[in-house]
Amino acid sequence: MGDYVQVVTTTDSEEAAAALARGIVESRTGACVQVVPIRSFYRWDGAVQDDPEWQLQVKTPAGRLDALVAHIQEHHGYDVPEIIATPITGGGDAYLRWLDDATRV
């Protein structure tokens, strides 16, 4: 087993989140994506925004991170999509092996 990451990004609609999540899994750039409705506050275009968003939490081996980032950038609707990778420092051995298997190309 190698190193693993969880990548977070957000979209502006449930449909966009589902399409992005499905594409990530189909392309094997991520093994699993959870989609969670959230409320985001952020500064954009000189004003504080308050918007509903859908957060995608993607689990993948660290070796697939560059491909995942490229996939998100290519298929995302935002000008500047949030893409944050956090190391996974532990977990169930069987689950982590599954991450490898599900993203093997």
Side-chain angles (χ1 to χ4, degrees):
M1 287 184 293
D3 295 330
Y4 304 91
V5 295
Q6 177 171 280
V7 174
V8 174
T9 190
T10 55
T11 63
D12 61 355
S13 73
E14 186 174 8
E15 295 77 19
L20 187 56
R22 183 173 302 281
I24 287 167
V25 173
E26 287 176 348
S27 68
R28 295 186 179 267
T29 55
C32 175
V33 184
Q34 279 103 20
V35 176
V36 182
I38 60 171
R39 183 175 175 185
S40 293
F41 294 84
Y42 56 97
R43 184 173 300 281
W44 189 255
D45 288 335
V48 174
Q49 308 296 319
D50 174 0
D51 291 312
E53 288 190 299
W54 283 259
Q55 184 181 73
L56 288 77
Q57 301 166 3
V58 185
K59 273 67 72 190
T60 197
R64 297 293 287 146
L65 179 59
D66 290 344
L68 174 59
V69 169
H71 182 92
I72 292 170
Q73 289 173 330
E74 181 179 344
H75 295 93
H76 206 290
Y78 287 4
D79 293 336
V80 182
E82 172 186 15
I83 304 172
I84 297 174
T86 304
I88 296 173
T89 60
D93 289 342
Y95 182 79
L96 297 175
R97 279 193 301 275
W98 175 77
L99 290 181
D100 287 325
D101 291 343
T103 57
R104 191 168 288 122
V105 287

